[in-house]
Amino acid sequence: MTYERFLSRGANAMRESAIRKMGAIGARVPDLISFAAGYPDSGTFPWNAFREIASELLNGHDPNALQYGATRGYRPLVDDIGQVLESHGIRSTFEERLVTTGSQQGLDLVGRLLIDPGDVILVELPTYTGAISAFRNTQAEMIGVPQDADGIDVEALDSTLQSLRAAGRRVKFLYVVPNFQNPSGLLIGLAKRRRLLEWAERRDVLLVEDDPYGELFFPDRATREETRPIKADDTTGRVIYLSSFSKTLAPGFRVAWVVAPAEMIAKFDLAKQAADICAGALDQRVIHQAIHRGVLATQGERLRTHYQHKRQVMEHALAERLGDRMSWTTPRGGFFLWGRLAGGVDAEAVLAHALESKVSFVIGRAFYVDDSGHDTLRLSFSQPSDAELEEGVARLALAVARAR
Amino acid sequence: MTYERFLSRGANAMRESAIRKMGAIGARVPDLISFAAGYPDSGTFPWNAFREIASELLNGHDPNALQYGATRGYRPLVDDIGQVLESHGIRSTFEERLVTTGSQQGLDLVGRLLIDPGDVILVELPTYTGAISAFRNTQAEMIGVPQDADGIDVEALDSTLQSLRAAGRRVKFLYVVPNFQNPSGLLIGLAKRRRLLEWAERRDVLLVEDDPYGELFFPDRATREETRPIKADDTTGRVIYLSSFSKTLAPGFRVAWVVAPAEMIAKFDLAKQAADICAGALDQRVIHQAIHRGVLATQGERLRTHYQHKRQVMEHALAERLGDRMSWTTPRGGFFLWGRLAGGVDAEAVLAHALESKVSFVIGRAFYVDDSGHDTLRLSFSQPSDAELEEGVARLALAVARAR
């Protein structure tokens, strides 16, 4: 029996994420060093705190700790999120926040609430594959806009919008990752953030601002002030803002959030009710307690130094082994180093050799909605140990040499 | 600023679930006795086992216990699910199973994979509101088919299908809850199950079989054999089967599953990747350990007796106080007693009085896709204590008397 005749158009359009695919390939190669998955380093998770908290939560005194809960989220956590936002300059009311089952769910709900088949979504070139998947599944057409050294090119953005409108297309929003973008690692400058907001107002489009990495700025290259979300200056309700505890606490708890005007959040609530009723009761309570006990605050400081060090190790190794065959901009935060191969070498050819040498990465093309970027690649430095970073780069250098 | 111009057609069609709405109303009424929410009794949760398990899992020895995981699910749990299925007569391979973030996500993914706007989905009259929400959000048209004492009327089902096809409509699947249906409590007879499968084959439609309550048969009225899933006899891949640990272990862990032909599960995997990447890492491991340590097996036996007793308490109280003003069929399992008010009294009028008297329920009409069932109501007996069941029924009797 075959099933094509039963599948929706959306289902027929679905594609496997290049990142998840690399994960599956990686799982089959023993002793592989993975620069592919953008996983946080599980060695940094505050295991003891989580164990104590979970143990207390499961003593049976709170009957709701394992029960269905409000779709909006566990109220004390929704309140905590308000304070986390406040520390990033974003003021919000309870009615403007909703807990999501990971930020991927936030992206999925954005797609479902805002996109009709054929609507146009503007994205950066390159952009996050999880967003590409979510928006493609609602049959958006994604149009890419190139980046400068400080992020998306605002002139190109506006001319793209204008020509789409001239062609009668409906543009719903710009999806943008201003802080240490996955995959490019770029930080959008503060002046450009203001211009983006002003542009969205003037052109009447929404901004969907995705900010999983804002806490992870590297003190040697960036300041907290430089990570100020666009949403912090949004006085008219133009920005839908997404963030997560996955990179600062742990992704195994599927707890993230979205902040948007109350009228929009009411729609997110309806969509989430039908999508999965509510986020995990225990997960949300563990995160709440971790915030309440100061664990989140401690983690921020610790992770900034930790991942900065890893970036330094990878970058040193790259400079030594690949300095003349690959160029990159030093990441100022986050998990990713974005490389461009000299002489237009195809990253896919390098990948084939890399897997033979037992190192993996994600080809840059996976992040381009226009299928460009063949000579680019994303290297995650977040998870491997120092020794693995060095050995992995050595293997990668071999693969690049072979592919040339 | 307003947002209508940005919203998708799907977003504009979204409606609040009557059950979630009742939950929100209930939260504002102090001392309310709720027959509305279909929550399991948190007093039955195996708290000690969960606490021990979580404590061990969070000792840091398994670095993946809080990491991103495979979209398909935590492998040992996916294997466990195979054994759970086996105990219900369903044989399946690893490739035919996928862990979902609660069964609601399974319904949501079914809708997204199978429904294009305007497609017809056949459902029972009444049917589960969570399915109605999920399928409405993908802009299905739902057509209802009446029930007999042993579930959906197969003649009516076939004539409905035939007339829809004659009108050029595309019918994708029948959604059916054979075991102790939410809301009617009905158990579809074994002979009828076979007829449904044969009908689906003959007419080339899919069956979506939702089975959250199968374990919760009441020994005084039903046997395990009578709960045999339709999927157990599906030799050609006609049935998509959903079930969950929410009713047998705890819903706060968002862990459920779907079983379908491998080709369909590959699509579920893609859809889930973009929906939320993966179910919670800790949640899945806790459930796996609970199964591994025999907790699930012990719970089944215990819960059958526990909920059977609650049903008896509610039914006795109803017989005493409302026997002449409401009719019902004794539920043979599950969480729900489905009532029909004598003389066509409107359940919505009763609800207004009930809330004044501090008791709540869900009006039956919420479960009818054709807006019928005005004289019906769903009473959940799963969560209240014995004393609350008795007091709640007394209050309900008062409300019915006032509404007449």
Side-chain angles (χ1 to χ4, degrees):
Chain A
M1 181 167 165
T2 58
Y3 299 92
E4 296 82 5
R5 68 193 178 285
F6 294 110
L7 295 177
S8 64
R9 283 186 292 273
N12 280 309
M14 286 174 189
R15 297 284 172 272
E16 187 167 23
S17 140
I19 297 177
R20 303 297 290 176
K21 193 171 175 176
M22 283 309 303
I25 291 170
R28 289 195 292 270
V29 180
D31 305 321
L32 182 89
I33 294 175
S34 174
F35 296 156
Y39 287 11
D41 180 354
S42 56
T44 66
F45 298 162
W47 293 98
N48 288 336
F50 288 148
R51 190 172 64 245
E52 276 174 35
I53 291 169
S55 216
E56 290 174 32
L57 287 169
L58 293 172
N59 64 9
H61 295 177
D62 174 6
N64 295 319
L66 291 176
Q67 191 55 276
Y68 291 107
T71 301
R72 193 62 63 99
Y74 174 53
R75 178 73 198 235
L77 178 64
V78 179
D79 292 340
D80 293 338
I81 288 168
Q83 291 186 16
V84 170
L85 288 164
E86 190 93 34
S87 75
H88 290 89
I90 299 171
R91 277 170 303 176
S92 63
T93 64
F94 174 78
E95 288 71 24
E96 294 171 326
R97 303 174 215 132
L98 175 129
V99 174
T100 55
T101 307
S103 246
Q104 185 64 39
Q105 181 177 58
L107 293 171
D108 183 58
L109 298 180
V110 162
R112 299 174 77 175
L113 290 176
L114 299 180
I115 298 169
D116 281 315
D119 281 350
V120 175
I121 304 311
L122 298 170
V123 300
E124 296 166 276
L125 286 174
T127 192
Y128 173 51
T129 52
I132 295 175
S133 299
F135 304 152
R136 187 177 44 218
N137 285 1
T138 46
Q139 298 171 71
E141 183 176 348
M142 282 166 279
I143 301 290
V145 179
Q147 295 173 322
D148 292 335
D150 71 336
I152 192 164
D153 178 337
V154 183
E155 281 71 39
L157 174 66
D158 194 49
S159 64
T160 302
L161 175 79
Q162 297 292 66
S163 54
L164 284 161
R165 287 203 168 150
R169 303 301 300 276
R170 187 164 60 168
V171 178
K172 287 285 183 75
F173 61 84
L174 165 68
Y175 169 73
V176 67
V177 187
N179 290 326
F180 321 117
Q181 193 217 27
N182 179 356
S184 72
L186 286 183
L187 179 68
I188 296 185
L190 289 176
K192 188 171 275 188
R193 292 176 192 225
R194 283 190 296 273
R195 286 181 65 200
L196 283 173
L197 186 56
E198 184 239 56
W199 168 84
E201 291 282 355
R202 193 172 65 242
R203 298 304 189 197
D204 194 28
V205 296
L206 297 177
L207 292 183
V208 175
E209 180 180 23
D210 191 6
D211 186 19
Y213 305 105
E215 277 294 327
L216 304 180
F217 58 90
F218 299 151
D220 68 350
R221 300 271 176 160
T223 63
R224 178 177 290 286
E225 289 65 38
E226 288 177 288
T227 66
R228 180 178 173 86
I230 300 173
K231 181 69 181 167
D233 297 300
D234 174 25
T235 54
T236 59
R238 183 65 56 180
V239 182
I240 296 171
Y241 176 86
L242 308 167
S243 189
S244 171
F245 296 109
S246 290
K247 309 303 191 278
T248 50
L249 288 171
F253 305 113
R254 306 298 296 130
V255 182
W257 70 89
V258 56
V259 185
E263 187 188 327
M264 283 297 307
I265 288 294
K267 287 288 180 185
F268 274 95
D269 194 308
L270 288 179
K272 184 172 166 60
Q273 271 181 30
D276 67 357
I277 301 179
C278 56
L282 182 64
D283 284 4
Q284 292 187 79
R285 281 166 176 76
V286 171
I287 299 290
H288 162 65
Q289 283 295 328
I291 294 170
H292 186 66
R293 297 174 191 200
V295 178
L296 179 66
T298 317
Q299 281 298 100
E301 197 61 34
R302 185 178 164 207
L303 297 178
R304 286 188 278 276
T305 315
H306 184 79
Y307 291 119
Q308 175 179 287
H309 170 76
K310 283 183 183 278
R311 182 216 66 200
Q312 286 165 342
V313 173
M314 177 176 265
E315 204 177 11
H316 278 139
L318 286 172
E320 193 179 314
R321 308 234 182 214
L322 272 165
D324 53 343
R325 296 182 216 160
M326 197 179 93
S327 60
W328 65 89
T329 306
T330 300
R332 301 169 67 192
F335 286 180
F336 307 107
L337 190 143
W338 181 247
R340 186 174 300 274
L341 296 160
V345 169
D346 191 320
E348 200 147 358
V350 173
L351 182 60
H353 292 287
L355 288 172
E356 276 172 31
S357 304
K358 301 192 174 180
V359 62
S360 68
F361 59 83
V362 183
I363 55 167
R365 188 161 58 85
F367 302 91
Y368 284 86
V369 295
D370 64 354
D371 206 38
S372 63
H374 287 246
D375 57 350
T376 61
L377 69 174
R378 190 192 77 171
L379 303 175
S380 304
F381 50 80
S382 52
Q383 201 184 27
S385 67
D386 291 7
E388 287 168 338
L389 287 169
E390 285 168 359
E391 171 62 19
V393 169
R395 294 179 187 178
L396 180 63
L398 201 68
V400 172
R402 284 185 181 150
R404 283 166 73 95
Chain B
M1 184 168 164
T2 58
Y3 299 91
E4 296 82 6
R5 67 193 179 286
F6 294 109
L7 295 177
S8 65
R9 285 187 291 271
N12 280 308
M14 286 174 190
R15 297 283 172 272
E16 187 167 23
S17 140
I19 297 176
R20 304 295 291 176
K21 194 171 174 176
M22 283 309 303
I25 292 171
R28 291 194 292 270
V29 180
D31 306 319
L32 181 89
I33 295 174
S34 175
F35 296 156
Y39 287 11
D41 182 352
S42 56
T44 65
F45 297 161
W47 293 98
N48 287 336
F50 287 149
R51 190 172 63 245
E52 276 173 36
I53 291 168
S55 212
E56 290 173 32
L57 287 169
L58 293 172
N59 63 10
H61 294 176
D62 175 4
N64 295 319
L66 292 175
Q67 192 55 276
Y68 291 106
T71 301
R72 194 61 65 101
Y74 174 54
R75 178 72 198 235
L77 177 63
V78 179
D79 292 340
D80 293 338
I81 288 168
Q83 291 184 19
V84 170
L85 288 164
E86 190 95 32
S87 75
H88 290 90
I90 299 171
R91 275 169 304 174
S92 63
T93 64
F94 174 77
E95 289 70 25
E96 294 171 327
R97 304 174 214 133
L98 175 128
V99 174
T100 55
T101 306
S103 245
Q104 185 65 38
Q105 182 177 58
L107 293 171
D108 182 59
L109 298 180
V110 163
R112 299 174 76 175
L113 290 176
L114 299 180
I115 298 169
D116 280 316
D119 281 349
V120 174
I121 304 310
L122 298 170
V123 300
E124 295 165 276
L125 285 174
T127 193
Y128 173 50
T129 51
I132 295 176
S133 298
F135 303 153
R136 186 177 46 217
N137 285 2
T138 46
Q139 299 172 67
E141 182 176 347
M142 282 167 278
I143 301 290
V145 179
Q147 295 173 322
D148 292 336
D150 71 337
I152 191 162
D153 177 337
V154 183
E155 280 72 38
L157 173 66
D158 194 49
S159 66
T160 302
L161 175 80
Q162 296 292 65
S163 54
L164 283 162
R165 286 201 169 151
R169 303 302 300 275
R170 186 164 61 167
V171 178
K172 287 286 182 75
F173 61 84
L174 165 68
Y175 169 73
V176 67
V177 187
N179 290 326
F180 321 117
Q181 193 216 28
N182 180 356
S184 72
L186 287 183
L187 180 68
I188 296 184
L190 289 176
K192 186 171 276 189
R193 292 176 193 227
R194 284 189 296 273
R195 287 182 63 202
L196 282 173
L197 185 56
E198 183 240 56
W199 169 85
E201 290 282 354
R202 192 171 68 242
R203 298 303 189 196
D204 194 28
V205 296
L206 297 177
L207 293 182
V208 175
E209 179 179 24
D210 191 4
D211 186 20
Y213 305 105
E215 278 293 328
L216 304 180
F217 57 90
F218 299 151
D220 68 350
R221 300 270 174 159
T223 63
R224 178 176 290 287
E225 289 65 38
E226 288 176 287
T227 67
R228 180 178 172 85
I230 300 173
K231 181 70 181 166
D233 297 301
D234 174 27
T235 53
T236 60
R238 183 65 55 180
V239 182
I240 296 171
Y241 175 87
L242 308 168
S243 189
S244 172
F245 297 109
S246 290
K247 309 304 191 278
T248 49
L249 288 170
F253 305 112
R254 308 297 296 130
V255 182
W257 71 89
V258 55
V259 185
E263 187 189 326
M264 283 297 307
I265 288 294
K267 288 288 179 186
F268 274 95
D269 194 307
L270 288 179
K272 183 171 167 61
Q273 272 182 31
D276 67 357
I277 303 179
C278 56
L282 182 64
D283 284 1
Q284 292 186 78
R285 280 166 176 78
V286 171
I287 299 290
H288 162 63
Q289 283 295 329
I291 294 169
H292 185 67
R293 298 176 190 199
V295 178
L296 180 66
T298 317
Q299 280 298 101
E301 196 60 35
R302 186 177 163 208
L303 297 178
R304 286 188 277 277
T305 317
H306 184 79
Y307 292 119
Q308 174 179 286
H309 170 76
K310 282 182 183 282
R311 182 216 67 202
Q312 286 165 342
V313 174
M314 178 176 263
E315 203 177 11
H316 277 140
L318 285 171
E320 193 178 315
R321 307 232 181 215
L322 272 165
D324 53 342
R325 296 182 217 159
M326 196 178 94
S327 61
W328 64 89
T329 306
T330 300
R332 301 169 65 191
F335 287 180
F336 307 108
L337 190 143
W338 180 247
R340 186 175 299 273
L341 295 160
V345 168
D346 191 317
E348 200 147 356
V350 174
L351 182 60
H353 292 286
L355 288 173
E356 275 171 32
S357 306
K358 301 191 173 183
V359 63
S360 68
F361 59 84
V362 184
I363 55 169
R365 188 161 58 86
F367 302 91
Y368 283 87
V369 296
D370 65 354
D371 205 38
S372 63
H374 287 246
D375 57 351
T376 60
L377 69 175
R378 190 193 77 171
L379 303 175
S380 303
F381 50 79
S382 51
Q383 202 184 25
S385 68
D386 291 6
E388 287 168 337
L389 287 168
E390 284 166 1
E391 171 62 21
V393 169
R395 295 179 187 178
L396 180 64
L398 202 68
V400 172
R402 284 186 182 152
R404 283 165 72 96

